[in-house]
Amino acid sequence: MNSLHGQILESIFNLSMLQILAIVKNNISGNLPSSIANGLPDLEGLYIDGNRLSGKLPGCISNFSKLIKLDLEDNSFSGHVPMNIGNLQNLRRLNFAWNQLTNDPSMLKLDFLISLKNCRQLKQI
């Protein structure tokens, strides 16, 4: 909750011991890198809400095997919710409200919710 500007540097996603990444309510812009999950094997909380991030949600978010809370609220993400989001089996909270996400027209409405059946600890969407 500062006045940070600019883009998220990919190097922050190589802090292998990091458990929580919170960059909340700033003016961070750009896209999430497609390699976001490669160097953060122990990440449990990803909070990047309230910024100006845009683009598609990278499918590799599902590689955060220890992720408990994912908060992407109040950005400008667009495109479809990745169907593999259900691979986050430890997920308890999922929030991507206030974005421009859409459903895949070739599938049933809100079909990504079906993929969340593997997230047995999920308490908030």
Side-chain angles (χ1 to χ4, degrees), residues 1-60:
M1 299 172 109
N2 293 288
S3 295
L4 299 175
H5 291 271
Q7 297 185 356
I8 299 175
L9 298 175
E10 285 194 46
S11 59
I12 199 167
F13 299 111
N14 291 322
L15 300 172
S16 61
M17 299 292 287
L18 196 65
Q19 292 180 312
I20 295 176
L21 177 58
I23 307 171
V24 178
K25 295 185 181 176
N26 285 284
N27 289 303
I28 305 298
S29 59
N31 299 338
L32 287 179
S34 59
S35 60
I36 185 173
N38 294 351
L40 298 171
D42 294 327
L43 196 70
E44 295 178 1
L46 179 59
Y47 307 94
I48 52 175
D49 51 300
N51 286 287
R52 296 181 310 151
L53 293 165
S54 59
K56 295 183 179 187
L57 295 178
C60 66

Side-chain angles (χ1 to χ4, degrees), residues 107-124:
M107 304 179 99
L108 298 173
K109 291 182 180 180
L110 302 176
D111 213 22
F112 74 91
L113 290 172
I114 294 170
S115 73
L116 297 175
K117 69 182 179 215
N118 296 325
C119 302
R120 299 183 185 262
Q121 298 182 52
L122 191 61
K123 296 182 182 197
Q124 274 185 318

Side-chain angles (χ1 to χ4, degrees), residues 92-116:
R92 294 183 191 158
R93 176 184 163 94
L94 174 61
N95 185 357
F96 40 67
W98 298 102
N99 282 285
Q100 285 83 47
L101 297 170
T102 60
N103 61 308
D104 185 342
S106 68
M107 304 179 99
L108 298 173
K109 291 182 180 180
L110 302 176
D111 213 22
F112 74 91
L113 290 172
I114 294 170
S115 73
L116 297 175

